Amino acid sequence: MIKRSLDYLFKKDKRLMKDSIILFSAVLFLNIMGYIFHFFVGRTLGPADYGIFGAIMSLIYIITVPMNTLQTSITKFTSNFNVHNEIGKIAYLLKRSIKVLFIVSLITTFVFIILSPFLASFMNTEKISPFLSVSLFLFFALLLPINRGVMQGLQNFKGLGWNYCIEGTVKILIGILFIYLWGLNGAVLAFGVSYIVPFFFSFIALKKDLINTEKFDTKEVYKYSIPVLIMLTSLTLFYSLDVILVKHFFNAVDAGLYAAISLLGGKIVFFGSGSISLVMFPKVAELYAMNGEHRGVLYKSMLLVTIFGLSITLFYWLFPNFSVGLLFGKEYLNIAPMLWIFAALMTLFSLVYLLSFYNVSIHKNKFIYLLILFNIIQVLLIYLFHESLWQIVYIMSGTMLGLFLLLLAYTFKR
């Protein structure tokens, strides 16, 4: 079955497969480096401090949603300009966005520093310094998606892939050193440094697109960004709010255990298959702009995500104790029975993510109401039922299955 599916992909769309492999390999390398970093943090700091670290990372995912929105919007418009060979507009879009976001980054960083004591209090910790350390991460994390959006829109997947590889390499090398020097603070600071280096390296891949600019009204970019912002915010909340709420409602050790299962059982599946969405989005946007047939790209992308997610789920089902013990250590073995369930629900979420990007690339935006509705359902259920970590896993599984089925029906409705 898998062999027939892969043969179908290779024969029908070699370019999709080639680009997916290039970006998948780069994102896989980035994620492997990130996971080694997380496993090192978990083993070195222990469940209690890792719970704080996991909650901070979830908070970062939410904060950077607007910038990921900008990357998606820039990808969309870069793809459209590229179709019509309007390279000057791409250069103007890049330069204009960097100027505007530089100011936004300064303001956002300042606001986060002010809010740090309140965030620490909500997450039941007296350690404010790790939250202050996030400010370095924020500044460059808000700028880097601009350059990556242009590379993605130009379908320069080699350049984008190398940029991800640089981020992963810096994160692991600097991260291990910083953790030994400063513990939890060093772990957070390493994330900031890992965004500084690839930001400046990204200009090398884009130098040919920075020569001549052609001014245009950027209001359309911001107008398109509104539904994308809501979409990405809702999607990010699905894999971030649960970790933050668990840190709020549970003790420090249980919060650390849940942060571990969220990473090992969930984010490995989601971020591992995320490259497929990155490749699919500009291709569908380009085909849509040319009134071409784009459904086939979605079918093949869904097949790739499903194969990847189910492979991880099967491995966790067969070897749960081995997976947890090897990567996090014996202190985390209580989460082993939940591992394959979390991987399965995140496979569904990866498909939800893919379908969301497909719909927004062809300007079908009403599905966003579905995302918001299930965000509310998820938060309410966790708020009402949080007796054990098993309850949280069941809530996450049920809401994700319901959302996937409804979004699938919406996408393929005539």
Side-chain angles (χ1 to χ4, degrees):
M1 167 96 181
I2 293 177
K3 185 179 183 302
R4 283 203 309 271
S5 301
L6 292 175
D7 287 343
Y8 168 75
L9 284 166
F10 274 114
K11 289 177 182 178
K12 295 293 184 181
D13 198 335
K14 291 183 179 179
R15 188 181 173 192
L16 173 65
M17 179 58 73
K18 180 182 177 181
D19 290 341
S20 294
I21 290 173
I22 290 172
L23 203 56
F24 175 81
S25 300
V27 173
L28 180 63
F29 176 81
L30 170 65
N31 288 329
I32 288 173
M33 294 298 101
Y35 297 139
I36 292 173
F37 176 72
H38 270 272
F39 301 144
F40 183 78
V41 174
R43 282 177 172 269
T44 306
L45 301 183
D49 273 354
Y50 186 70
I52 300 172
F53 181 76
I56 289 174
M57 290 300 102
S58 295
L59 191 61
I60 285 173
Y61 295 142
I62 296 172
I63 292 170
T64 54
V65 165
M67 299 312 102
N68 293 328
T69 299
L70 189 61
Q71 177 173 339
T72 303
S73 301
I74 287 176
T75 298
K76 168 74 173 176
F77 281 86
T78 300
S79 180
N80 289 347
F81 293 146
N82 196 39
V83 167
H84 299 99
N85 200 31
E86 297 175 319
I87 305 301
K89 289 185 177 180
I90 297 174
Y92 179 76
L93 178 63
L94 178 64
K95 291 182 178 180
R96 172 75 176 169
S97 299
I98 290 176
K99 288 180 182 178
V100 172
L101 266 297
F102 182 83
I103 298 171
V104 173
S105 298
L106 287 175
I107 296 171
T108 304
T109 301
F110 180 71
V111 171
F112 189 85
I113 291 172
I114 294 175
L115 294 177
S116 291
F118 303 100
L119 295 170
S121 176
F122 180 80
M123 295 184 190
N124 299 318
T125 177
E126 296 178 356
K127 298 181 178 180
I128 300 176
S129 54
F131 293 88
L132 295 175
S133 301
V134 174
S135 58
L136 177 63
F137 168 89
L138 278 178
F139 186 79
F140 286 95
L142 300 180
L143 292 172
L144 181 57
I146 300 169
N147 295 8
R148 285 180 172 173
V150 173
M151 286 189 280
Q152 186 182 348
L154 291 171
Q155 299 190 34
N156 180 7
F157 295 117
K158 284 186 179 180
L160 184 58
W162 276 113
N163 199 261
Y164 284 129
C165 290
I166 291 169
E167 179 189 339
T169 303
V170 172
K171 184 179 296 180
I172 190 65
L173 294 179
I174 298 296
I176 292 175
L177 174 64
F178 279 17
I179 291 167
Y180 273 124
L181 291 175
W182 300 301
L184 179 59
N185 289 337
V188 179
L189 279 172
F191 266 79
V193 178
S194 71
Y195 273 68
I196 295 173
V197 178
F199 172 70
F200 289 107
F201 267 92
S202 63
F203 287 102
I204 297 175
L206 293 170
K207 61 181 179 181
K208 65 179 181 180
D209 302 307
L210 292 170
I211 301 172
N212 299 314
T213 60
E214 181 184 345
K215 196 171 183 179
F216 71 98
D217 190 356
T218 55
K219 288 181 181 178
E220 286 299 315
V221 179
Y222 304 123
K223 183 179 178 182
Y224 177 80
S225 297
I226 294 173
V228 176
L229 173 62
I230 299 171
M231 178 194 78
L232 281 175
T233 301
S234 296
L235 289 170
T236 304
L237 291 177
F238 280 117
Y239 64 83
S240 302
L241 268 185
D242 58 323
V243 178
I244 294 173
L245 289 173
V246 167
K247 184 68 183 73
H248 178 70
F249 287 119
F250 288 75
N251 61 58
V253 173
D254 283 345
L257 293 175
Y258 189 81
I261 194 176
S262 177
L263 173 74
L264 185 57
K267 292 184 177 68
I268 281 182
V269 175
F270 171 57
F271 290 121
S273 62
S275 59
I276 300 168
S277 298
L278 291 176
V279 172
M280 181 205 70
F281 181 69
K283 291 184 180 296
V284 171
E286 185 178 284
L287 288 168
Y288 181 77
M290 297 187 299
N291 295 318
E293 171 53 43
H294 44 75
R295 246 300 147 110
V297 180
L298 173 64
Y299 297 147
K300 296 161 192 173
S301 300
M302 289 182 69
L303 182 59
L304 285 172
V305 170
T306 303
I307 290 171
F308 179 82
L310 291 183
S311 299
I312 300 294
T313 302
L314 179 62
F315 183 84
Y316 284 162
W317 182 62
L318 293 173
F319 311 106
N321 290 334
F322 171 78
S323 301
V324 176
L326 176 67
L327 299 174
F328 273 104
K330 294 180 180 180
E331 290 181 284
Y332 295 83
L333 282 178
N334 287 342
I335 66 173
M338 310 176 192
L339 199 56
W340 74 271
I341 301 175
F342 215 95
L345 80 88
M346 287 305 288
T347 300
L348 290 175
F349 176 72
S350 298
L351 290 169
V352 166
Y353 194 84
L354 189 77
L355 290 170
S356 298
F357 268 83
Y358 171 78
N359 281 303
V360 82
S361 68
I362 60 173
H363 300 275
K364 285 180 64 178
N365 297 329
K366 290 184 179 179
F367 75 95
I368 292 174
Y369 295 113
L370 268 180
L371 300 182
I372 296 172
L373 174 63
F374 275 83
N375 278 145
I376 296 170
I377 291 172
Q378 180 194 48
V379 171
L380 283 177
L381 289 175
I382 293 176
Y383 183 81
L384 294 173
F385 306 102
H386 49 263
E387 296 296 322
S388 68
L389 294 182
W390 274 107
Q391 272 193 340
I392 307 298
V393 173
Y394 290 145
I395 289 169
M396 294 288 290
S397 301
T399 52
M400 200 51 60
L401 177 60
L403 175 59
F404 170 69
L405 293 175
L406 288 174
L407 185 55
L408 196 66
Y410 170 85
T411 303
F412 293 107
K413 183 180 69 172
R414 298 187 72 180

